Amino acid sequence: MGHTHLERWFPSITQQLMDSGAHLGTKDAIQFYVDGTRRHPVDVPMLSATRPLIEGHIRRRVLALPNVQLLRARATHLLSTATRITGVGYSETDQAGSGADAGSRRELDADLVVDAMGRSSRLSTWLADSGWDELPTDRMRIDLGYATALFHRGDELPGTIIAHATPGPASGYQTSVSEPGALAAVEGNRWMVVLAGYTDYRPGRDPDEFRKRMLRCVAPLQIVAENCAMAEDIKTFHFASSQRRDFTRLSRFPGGLMAIGDSVASVNPIYGQGLTLAVLQANALAIHLHSGAPSHAPALGYFRQSGAIVNAAWQLSTTADLAQSHVTGPYPRGYRHIRRIGDKITSASLIDATVNQAYMDVIHMRAHPRTLLQPAILLRAARATAPR
């Protein structure tokens, strides 16, 4: 879904990325596994490239727009009146992006300010400093660790662009039982491999241990581990908790202010929803601006639309995360019932192609999670998993 809307915002960017070495995977070139069992192929094209390549192309396309100017600075606070945000205070930085001295403090007036500062955004603190309420924030501690390695790519996996393996109901969703991993053909004639795990089972930087974990994963990762040389050092990351800032729960909010991307919500990265969430929120922002809503008024319509998108991703990721024994909540209402239905649909998706297409449409945010509760899908899932 993210790739589809990225192409909508930046026409021909897919071809530009492919000209730079990215790959477009379709149908049989994309392999999804649950508990080691391969899913039926589905019609969900996926762009395969490193994040720096994608972000670099987007940045260049944005900066090429005639009405966009770049100011290298570090935002320090908000400018406001009693009813709205009127701009941003900032300190200038040098060309390398490092901070400048206190003497370079500046102010920038604005009709509309959009917070895209990411997960560590200081917007809530700045709002409180300006006399507004702090943002209600939900968190779920998951203690995820993941590691990324690049391998030189040859002809060891002809026809494969992406392979992705996750634990499922058969393993109790435990990463120490069913090894999760992802493999993607990326620019520079390389494979990018990502391994993940929770708590004490997080992957580290040791190349030999990394290969051992790949050998416990599905066949494509095993083949790369056995045949390909590592191209550079392993990079590790720790993701302590998913978080969601809920603007819709505020009783009062200033006009002239919006937020987008990880500034609003940041969910478990192993589900690969970050880019899609950001692009869908960009769509909601565009719809709000084109509706004629005054920029000086509180953007309640935008936050409701953005919230619906975020809540769908939050529901999907946190329900899955609660299957981990170390994740202690908060549990949504009816969690046990939701979990039973989810397990049934996941198991059925490995057997029934129609259920699998519906399931993958939700995973890729092409459809809302509630579509899996349609009677036809539930009936097919029940039939597929009934004792024989």
Side-chain angles (χ1 to χ4, degrees):
M1 187 68 164
H3 164 233
T4 300
H5 286 281
L6 194 64
E7 181 69 24
R8 172 174 169 262
W9 282 108
F10 302 102
S12 302
I13 195 169
T14 299
Q15 188 58 54
Q16 291 175 355
L17 286 164
M18 292 175 67
D19 291 343
S20 297
H23 300 268
L24 185 64
T26 57
K27 211 87 176 195
D28 291 328
I30 305 173
Q31 304 173 25
F32 286 97
Y33 299 81
V34 175
D35 285 328
T37 299
R38 185 176 175 182
R39 292 181 177 278
H40 294 277
V42 293
D43 186 19
V44 184
M46 296 182 67
L47 189 65
S48 184
T50 64
R51 183 169 173 173
L53 182 69
I54 296 173
E55 291 183 347
H57 274 269
I58 293 174
R59 181 182 176 86
R60 284 190 291 273
R61 291 286 296 267
V62 170
L63 292 179
L65 296 173
N67 58 343
V68 171
Q69 292 181 325
L70 175 64
L71 174 65
R72 295 184 181 274
R74 178 176 291 111
T76 58
H77 60 282
L78 296 173
L79 310 177
S80 65
T81 65
T83 59
R84 59 175 288 256
I85 302 303
T86 60
V88 177
Y90 66 94
S91 60
E92 293 181 334
T93 64
D94 58 26
Q95 291 299 308
S98 61
D101 60 4
S104 64
R105 303 258 180 212
R106 299 286 189 272
E107 292 184 350
L108 181 66
D109 294 331
D111 289 325
L112 177 65
V113 173
V114 179
D115 172 18
M117 292 184 287
R119 179 181 173 87
S120 59
S121 167
R122 298 190 61 206
L123 181 62
S124 186
T125 301
W126 291 351
L127 285 172
D129 291 343
S130 299
W132 299 91
D133 296 334
E134 290 192 19
L135 300 173
T137 303
D138 301 315
R139 291 185 177 86
M140 177 178 285
R141 184 166 183 82
I142 61 174
D143 197 14
L144 171 77
Y146 60 103
T148 302
L150 292 168
F151 292 80
H152 295 291
R153 178 170 170 255
D155 58 0
E156 57 281 332
L157 286 172
T160 296
I161 299 298
I162 293 172
H164 187 271
T166 60
S171 63
Y173 300 93
Q174 300 307 302
T175 58
S176 58
V177 177
S178 179
E179 190 77 45
L183 171 78
V186 298
E187 70 275 8
N189 209 29
R190 298 171 297 174
W191 293 112
M192 181 172 64
V193 177
V194 180
L195 301 180
Y198 296 94
T199 60
D200 294 335
Y201 196 66
R202 300 197 300 262
R205 293 188 177 91
D206 180 75
D208 293 334
E209 182 57 33
F210 195 92
R211 286 183 186 273
K212 288 178 182 178
R213 290 182 68 142
M214 290 175 66
L215 292 171
R216 293 195 294 269
C217 201
V218 293
L221 277 81
Q222 294 174 15
I223 291 171
V224 170
E226 292 169 343
N227 295 279
C228 301
M230 201 170 285
E232 58 183 57
D233 292 341
I234 298 167
K235 296 179 175 63
T236 59
F237 307 88
H238 182 224
F239 188 88
S241 60
S242 296
Q243 69 178 29
R244 169 180 60 176
R245 297 180 174 103
D246 193 347
F247 294 79
T248 64
R249 280 157 45 193
L250 290 169
S251 59
R252 53 190 293 268
F253 193 76
L257 180 64
M258 294 182 174
I260 196 170
D262 284 0
S263 296
V264 179
S266 174
V267 298
N268 190 329
I270 67 172
Y271 305 124
Q273 295 175 316
L275 176 61
T276 300
L277 266 176
V279 174
L280 291 177
Q281 288 177 71
N283 290 350
L285 191 152
I287 290 170
H288 180 78
L289 294 177
H290 282 103
S291 71
S295 61
H296 294 176
L300 301 180
Y302 164 73
F303 285 118
R304 282 193 292 268
Q305 293 180 47
S306 173
I309 296 165
V310 167
N311 291 343
W314 183 265
Q315 175 187 342
L316 194 67
S317 66
T318 56
T319 300
D321 289 336
L322 285 167
Q324 301 297 323
S325 57
H326 70 282
V327 180
T328 57
Y331 288 86
R333 183 181 301 174
Y335 168 72
R336 292 182 180 178
H337 183 58
I338 294 170
R339 170 75 183 275
R340 282 196 298 270
I341 294 175
D343 288 353
K344 185 76 70 174
I345 292 174
T346 300
S347 297
S349 70
L350 302 176
I351 304 167
D352 186 294
T354 300
V355 175
N356 185 50
Q357 183 68 58
Y359 183 92
M360 296 304 289
D361 282 344
V362 169
I363 293 294
H364 290 277
M365 300 190 72
R366 298 171 65 175
H368 194 277
R370 63 173 170 262
T371 60
L372 295 178
L373 300 179
Q374 294 174 355
I377 297 298
L378 294 176
L379 181 59
R380 293 188 74 100
R383 287 174 174 171
T385 56
R388 299 182 183 277

